[in-house]
Amino acid sequence: MSELAIRVENISKQYRIGLAQERPDTLRDLLMMGFRRFKHKLSRKGSGRYDDPGHIWALKDVSFEVERGQVLGIVGRNGAGKSTLLKILSRVTDPTEGYGEIHGRVGSLLEVGTGFHPELSGRENIYLNGAILGMRREEINRKFDEIVEFSEVGKFIDTPVKRFSSGMYLRLAFAVAAHLEPEILVVDEVLAVGDAEFQRKCLGKMNDVAQEGRTVLFVSHNMSAILRLTQETIVLDQGKIVLRAPTPEAVDHYLNMGLTKQGERFWTEEELGGKSDAFKPEALRVLNTDGKVVDTVNAAEGFSIEFEYQLTEAISGLRVGLYMMTTRGEYVFTTFDTDDPELYQEYSVRPAGHYISKCHIPPNLMNEGRFILGLNASVYRIRRYFQEDKALTFTVDVTGAPGTHWPEQRLGPVRPQFDWDIEHK
Amino acid sequence: MENSQQQGKQSPIIYLRPSKGWLSIDFKELWRYRELIFFLTWRDIKVRYKQAVLGISWAVLQPLLTTLIFTVIFGILLKTPSQDLPYPLFSMSALLPWQLFSTALQRSSVSLVGNANLLTKIYFPRLAIPLSSVFAALVDFAVSFVVLLLVMAYYQYWPGWNILWLFPIVLLALLTALAVGLWLSALNVQYRDIQHMVPFLIQVWMYASPIVYPIETIPEGVWRSLYGLNPMVGVIQGFRWALLGGTPPDITMLISIIVVVVLLISGLYYFRRMEKTFADVV
């Protein structure tokens, strides 16, 4: 049975961006713009509208087919066009060009809890949210008890959801969405939220949906979840499909994509404010084990961080420090290039010149997520030459890290490999 | 899941295409989403009176207090003529359809922006949003209508069979609010100037309707016809007549209906034309 569920041909979507004065958000702007356009039309015939610098293509000529019952993964970096694609497939927005057809009811979990109203009770929100997601009242009545049970909010069901803890709120929201029975389910990063236990439950539910033979489009940054749930995956980059392949291959490709655009940071003279300091930062890089500059590193393989700088004069007692922070602002660790007593002795005075301090992060230390690097160059208790708290961000992927056979998110910023003993008595 | 497969067989193919030009209005689809419209209306009503000590009694107090103010200022102090009706009854019978209209208009014109999170995440006929705001105003109206009947009883006025005319008249008021609301809500998605303009518009509109003064104040002839371009003139005059008698609606009613039909059809088409961009712009 190879019935088609989704077919899209050359779908493109253009957005207007930036260029504040080009966007008529108020009537005055509109009038001004109308006038300018009029002048423009007089001076130049035809419209070059599509290649305007104020427009970008969020998607460009995307074509693919999905068969009924298939679970297809979609991966790509932020801004690669994943969300735009899902929005088009769920008809929230129209493509600028192209054609597509969808066979069956589409249910989207673009964001759980859409349409929840804080003032209404859990019960009322189940009905409201169900209706918004496209369920009939009779259908909600039928599934009501199941939804409440799945959400575990039980006796709070008649309390306004604004009094719910965020966990309860989320569980209820997902419970409603999970009981939708569309032929095609579109899921975007629902698993990025909630505690580990809840995430396990969500993944389980999604697995069930897939087992029932329904079509699922699954977008995630969580490679373990993608690997676990999908057989085939599309890799998007800059609005285009760069690869469609069996999931392991696609994930591999995604992780190895020449991600040099990020993972590197330079300091220019202007940025430093023209201060003629003895210490001049030049570049900060995140490197994988092959020594390539990357935005995403693999925790199981380890990686390194190198900081390049210039000393215009000799400095004694200089130490270069590195801070690792989570995106929530918790410090993971602080380390200095002269922590080692030997290096501390050797570089008690650093003569003027060009330096690279490179920190090797061992395999199986970091957990998955996005991390922020902070930098510091100082002489202990004497002088701080340079400090930048958010110098660079990068992503850690945990494919192959300890315990990834359970596709759940682990708590905590680190994910070390520990030795365990199990005694059977 | 033989169930879902069956549904799959029935479910129609959805086509994705760039939207171009004017789209026809899909009433069938709107009807399929009637439960959503019901729940959105229900949410609007529920939320409006949550955490208000007096709750729904505001729907009673608002017209009563406004009537009181108008009676003191226009009835007692300015001695405005009132078609031989007690002034409180005269003004309250106009305030009810007016408040129905102004509430519906005010709420529908900001409705799309207020529901931006829905627009950007989920597909449904966008018309459901302004429609449900208009319907929500009807509930307040029903409550205050009961109060009006009590006030009428106090003044010993009993409505005759003409009261049946209230149905088409109230419908006309709703359609007027919807017609203007469609235009303004769609415009407000892009130009937030609209939401600052609406209170002012409503105020001007109120004084351009025979609420505090009788329609006879406007000279007959050209002026009266021009005045009739305001659909609320027909609505208010008709409402008063259906309940209390007096001047029956005349040619102005017909003008009102034509104006509303034109506004409504153009509003629907403008709305449909713009709705595909709502999610990108809002």
Side-chain angles (χ1 to χ4, degrees), chain B residues 35-269:
Chain B
E35 285 190 352
L36 175 64
I37 299 174
F38 168 79
F39 275 113
L40 289 174
T41 307
W42 170 80
R43 176 196 69 174
D44 275 10
I45 298 160
K46 268 238 127 117
V47 168
R48 194 173 339 162
Y49 296 112
K50 277 257 163 125
Q51 236 176 44
V53 179
L54 295 178
I56 195 88
S57 24
W58 278 112
V60 175
L61 285 174
Q62 268 174 353
L64 275 182
L65 292 175
T66 320
T67 304
L68 185 69
I69 295 166
F70 283 0
T71 305
V72 170
I73 296 175
F74 297 100
I76 299 175
L77 294 177
L78 295 174
K79 303 209 186 333
T80 316
S82 58
Q83 296 175 328
D84 299 327
L85 294 168
Y87 194 86
L89 213 49
F90 172 81
S91 63
M92 196 172 174
S93 61
L95 268 172
L96 249 65
W98 174 256
Q99 284 188 338
L100 168 66
F101 166 77
S102 64
T103 314
L105 174 59
Q106 200 175 354
R107 299 183 69 83
S108 62
S109 56
V110 296
S111 60
L112 288 174
V113 171
N115 286 291
N117 63 332
L118 290 187
L119 294 182
T120 53
K121 303 259 160 55
I122 308 251
Y123 173 80
F124 55 88
R126 276 30 179 145
L127 271 173
I129 286 183
L131 264 179
S132 61
S133 315
V134 169
F135 289 149
L138 209 50
V139 175
D140 280 358
F141 173 78
V143 174
S144 41
F145 186 73
V146 175
V147 181
L148 176 63
L149 289 180
L150 293 176
V151 174
M152 279 173 65
Y154 174 81
Y155 283 102
Q156 312 254 310
Y157 275 83
W158 310 104
W161 283 111
N162 276 341
I163 198 170
L164 291 178
W165 281 104
L166 285 186
F167 290 99
I169 290 166
V170 166
L171 182 69
L172 185 63
L174 285 179
L175 290 180
T176 312
L178 182 65
V180 183
L182 285 176
W183 272 102
L184 296 184
S185 61
L187 281 167
N188 194 38
V189 169
Q190 185 140 27
Y191 310 110
R192 296 293 145 86
D193 308 61
I194 300 297
Q195 64 197 45
H196 304 294
M197 206 183 79
V198 167
F200 184 68
L201 174 78
I202 289 178
Q203 210 173 9
V204 172
W205 203 324
M206 190 188 102
Y207 288 109
S209 309
I211 296 167
V212 298
Y213 54 87
I215 190 167
E216 287 80 18
T217 316
I218 310 296
E220 278 195 55
V222 185
W223 288 112
R224 187 72 71 81
S225 305
L226 271 177
Y227 189 60
L229 285 176
N230 169 5
M232 287 311 285
V233 170
V235 167
I236 289 165
Q237 199 197 354
F239 195 91
R240 226 178 231 152
W241 164 78
L243 272 181
L244 307 166
T247 332
D250 48 13
I251 187 75
T252 49
M253 194 67 160
L254 195 66
I255 303 176
S256 297
I257 292 172
I258 294 170
V259 170
V260 170
V261 168
V262 170
L263 273 177
L264 186 64
I265 292 176
S266 61
L268 278 170
Y269 276 93

Side-chain angles (χ1 to χ4, degrees), chain A residues 13 100 102 124 137 162, chain B residues 14 16 35 46 51 191 280:
Chain A
K13 176 76 185 179
I102 291 175
E124 291 164 338
R137 198 180 340 184
K162 65 176 176 183
Chain B
I14 300 158
L16 311 170
E35 285 190 352
K46 268 238 127 117
Q51 236 176 44
Y191 310 110
D280 300 336

Side-chain angles (χ1 to χ4, degrees), chain A residues 102-131:
Chain A
I102 291 175
H103 302 248
R105 186 163 81 147
V106 181
S108 61
L109 302 186
L110 290 195
E111 204 168 282
V112 288
T114 299
F116 260 44
H117 200 289
E119 297 285 350
L120 298 178
S121 72
R123 181 188 302 275
E124 291 164 338
N125 268 309
I126 290 179
Y127 280 93
L128 176 64
N129 193 231

Side-chain angles (χ1 to χ4, degrees), chain A residues 313-330:
Chain A
E313 56 192 70
I315 302 175
S316 57
L318 182 73
R319 56 177 195 172
V320 171
L322 190 66
Y323 308 88
M324 181 93 77
M325 240 191 304
T326 66
T327 44
R328 275 192 270 167
E330 304 143 342

Side-chain angles (χ1 to χ4, degrees), chain A residues 224-340:
Chain A
S224 337
I226 290 264
L227 279 166
R228 166 96 169 180
L229 284 172
T230 68
Q231 299 97 47
E232 207 179 6
T233 293
I234 283 177
V235 184
L236 277 178
D237 190 32
Q238 297 187 359
K240 289 177 185 162
I241 294 183
V242 290
L243 182 73
R244 177 176 179 163
T247 298
E249 191 186 324
V251 166
D252 219 41
H253 180 87
Y254 167 66
L255 292 177
N256 290 314
M257 272 192 319
L259 301 171
T260 47
K261 274 172 217 102
Q262 283 146 26
E264 193 165 24
R265 158 86 196 262
F266 297 100
W267 279 267
T268 57
E269 284 292 335
E270 297 91 69
E271 241 176 305
L272 298 171
K275 274 182 290 176
S276 56
D277 227 343
F279 183 94
K280 277 202 168 66
E282 286 184 342
L284 176 68
R285 298 183 190 95
V286 176
L287 306 171
N288 67 10
T289 41
D290 299 333
K292 271 201 240 158
V293 177
V294 287
D295 174 64
T296 303
V297 294
N298 184 289
E301 290 172 0
F303 55 99
S304 51
I305 297 160
E306 69 173 32
F307 184 33
E308 202 176 330
Y309 50 93
Q310 190 102 33
L311 298 188
T312 51
E313 56 192 70
I315 302 175
S316 57
L318 182 73
R319 56 177 195 172
V320 171
L322 190 66
Y323 308 88
M324 181 93 77
M325 240 191 304
T326 66
T327 44
R328 275 192 270 167
E330 304 143 342
Y331 283 100
V332 182
F333 61 73
T334 304
T335 179
F336 288 96
D337 62 349
T338 45
D339 280 346
D340 179 11

Side-chain angles (χ1 to χ4, degrees), chain A residues 108-114 116 126 129 133 135 146-148 150-151 153 166-180 185-194 198-207 209 218:
Chain A
S108 61
L109 302 186
L110 290 195
E111 204 168 282
V112 288
T114 299
F116 260 44
I126 290 179
N129 193 231
L133 294 173
M135 281 193 236
E146 223 180 302
I147 292 173
V148 176
F150 186 88
S151 69
V153 297
S166 54
M168 283 161 67
Y169 185 94
L170 209 69
R171 284 204 301 274
L172 184 65
F174 186 82
V176 182
H179 287 79
L180 202 70
L185 185 66
V186 172
V187 188
D188 188 7
E189 287 300 352
V190 245
L191 307 168
V193 285
F198 176 65
Q199 285 183 2
R200 190 192 53 74
K201 209 165 163 176
C202 295
L203 273 172
K205 185 76 194 175
M206 289 206 26
N207 229 336
V209 169
F218 182 44

